Amino acid sequence: MKMDRFSRQTILPELGRKGQEKLHSANVLVVGAGGLGCPAILYLAAAGVGTIGIADGDHVTLQNLNRQVLFGIDDLNSKKPAAAAKTINRLYPDINIKVYNCYLTVENAHEIVPSYDLIIDGTDNFASRYLINDAAVLFEKPLVYGTVFKFEGQIALFNGGRGTANYRD
């Protein structure tokens, strides 16, 4: 990791070099590389998170380019995780990107989720949200949930530790 890149962060007493090193050793899984997942992936990389997993089975489409900030015209019809990884690798070559060109499912969650420290839910449907929550609870991972409807958004942390709420609560 090139610490010079993060010098503006490391001068903050609340973060410092030690905190930046913790970010670099972190593993975060982003499920959904759309309007919520794209900015999350971009800012995780910009913060210096060392490993970012991206899981999504969808393709880049023209009508979503204005909301999905990691993609451009050249990415049309590409799988979203692969296209997102290409952009992040160009901007932040020190970040390790793990690409899962598939939806998170009951069948593959056991293979994908355990190696991550944190899960970010960037999906847009209840079935996916419940599945992601259940995987987070099963593997004892904190889950950051976000949702947007028209001009309003919500964010919450679930499964943050013993006795804390999860999405099903």
Side-chain angles (χ1 to χ4, degrees):
M1 171 180 64
K2 296 180 180 165
M3 290 302 280
D4 288 350
R5 172 176 280 233
F6 305 104
S7 64
R8 295 289 187 193
Q9 292 166 209
T10 60
I11 62 173
L12 299 171
E14 297 85 0
L15 186 66
R17 186 175 181 88
K18 188 174 181 178
Q20 190 64 49
E21 289 170 354
K22 284 183 179 180
L23 282 173
H24 182 68
S25 66
N27 301 291
V28 177
L29 175 63
V30 179
V31 183
L36 291 171
C38 279
I41 294 162
L42 182 60
Y43 282 105
L44 289 168
V49 170
T51 299
I52 302 169
I54 307 168
D56 195 320
D58 205 1
H59 294 82
V60 177
T61 60
L62 182 65
Q63 63 269 30
N64 287 320
L65 287 183
N66 63 316
R67 300 178 307 107
Q68 298 174 2
V69 296
L70 291 177
F71 310 131
I73 294 292
D74 293 342
D75 298 313
L76 290 177
N77 300 316
S78 299
K79 288 279 196 173
K80 287 181 179 181
K86 182 179 76 172
T87 300
I88 296 300
N89 286 329
R90 182 176 51 78
L91 296 171
Y92 302 95
D94 296 341
I95 304 296
N96 178 30
I97 303 293
K98 294 186 179 178
V99 172
Y100 304 99
N101 287 316
C102 59
Y103 295 107
L104 191 70
T105 65
V106 171
E107 293 77 24
N108 65 20
H110 289 18
E111 300 162 14
I112 296 173
V113 173
S115 62
Y116 291 95
D117 305 313
L118 174 78
I119 303 168
I120 295 178
D121 177 358
T123 63
D124 61 2
N125 66 79
F126 289 112
S128 294
R129 289 179 183 152
Y130 283 115
L131 172 77
I132 295 163
N133 173 78
D134 292 349
V137 170
L138 179 66
F139 296 109
E140 299 180 349
K141 307 292 180 180
L143 169 64
V144 176
Y145 152 90
T147 186
V148 174
F149 180 69
K150 294 185 181 181
F151 297 104
E152 296 183 21
Q154 295 179 356
I155 188 168
L157 172 67
F158 293 112
N159 203 37
R162 280 208 185 280
T164 61
N166 69 67
Y167 188 77
R168 288 192 181 272
D169 293 333

